[in-house]
Amino acid sequence: VQLQASGGGLVQAGDSLRLSCAASGRTFSNYNMGWFRQAPGKEREFVASISWSGGFAGYADSVKGRFTITRDNAKNTVYLQMNSLNPEDTAVYYCASDLVFSRPYLPVRPAAFGSWGQGTLVTVSS
């Protein structure tokens, strides 16, 4: 599957952004999807994931209550709505597709995801 992330940019603390990730190349609706981020000098970290059906979602503690992951299987797209952004959210954000067909639980480790988008940069100024 090919993934194309978009929607990043430069915003101020407290602002909102919505990231999108368009998928192509295989049946999108049968795979859990995730968002990860990587700040300069840090390891890639889990942000959120959503089940293949869209019925379940999980979040990192650092974004819980501020970020929302959704998907539109008809459009082969997953979204990350980010509210109340702060400078600690500055990173390159990557979308990723689960390795396993219809995995029955939400993965959080990067190794569980087999396809990655190119990343979109989010910069939050204070």
Side-chain angles (χ1 to χ4, degrees), residues 20-23 28 70-79:
S20 300
C21 175
F28 174 77
T70 58
R71 66 189 296 161
D72 185 337
N73 285 342
K75 296 183 178 179
N76 287 355
T77 303
V78 61
Y79 305 96

Side-chain angles (χ1 to χ4, degrees), residues 7-60:
L10 172 63
V11 298
Q12 292 187 332
D15 285 351
S16 298
L17 272 179
R18 189 176 81 154
L19 306 183
S20 300
C21 175
S24 62
R26 72 174 182 193
T27 306
F28 174 77
S29 60
N30 291 132
Y31 293 85
N32 303 319
M33 296 292 294
W35 284 98
F36 290 76
R37 66 187 182 186
Q38 187 166 17
K42 295 187 177 181
E43 293 187 353
R44 191 168 297 190
E45 65 172 357
F46 169 77
V47 174
S49 60
I50 188 167
S51 64
W52 52 269
S53 68
F56 300 95
Y59 300 91

Side-chain angles (χ1 to χ4, degrees), residues 60-81:
D61 287 343
S62 59
V63 307
K64 201 172 293 184
R66 299 188 298 123
F67 291 12
T68 303
I69 185 172
T70 58
R71 66 189 296 161
D72 185 337
N73 285 342
K75 296 183 178 179
N76 287 355
T77 303
V78 61
Y79 305 96
L80 185 68
Q81 177 66 43

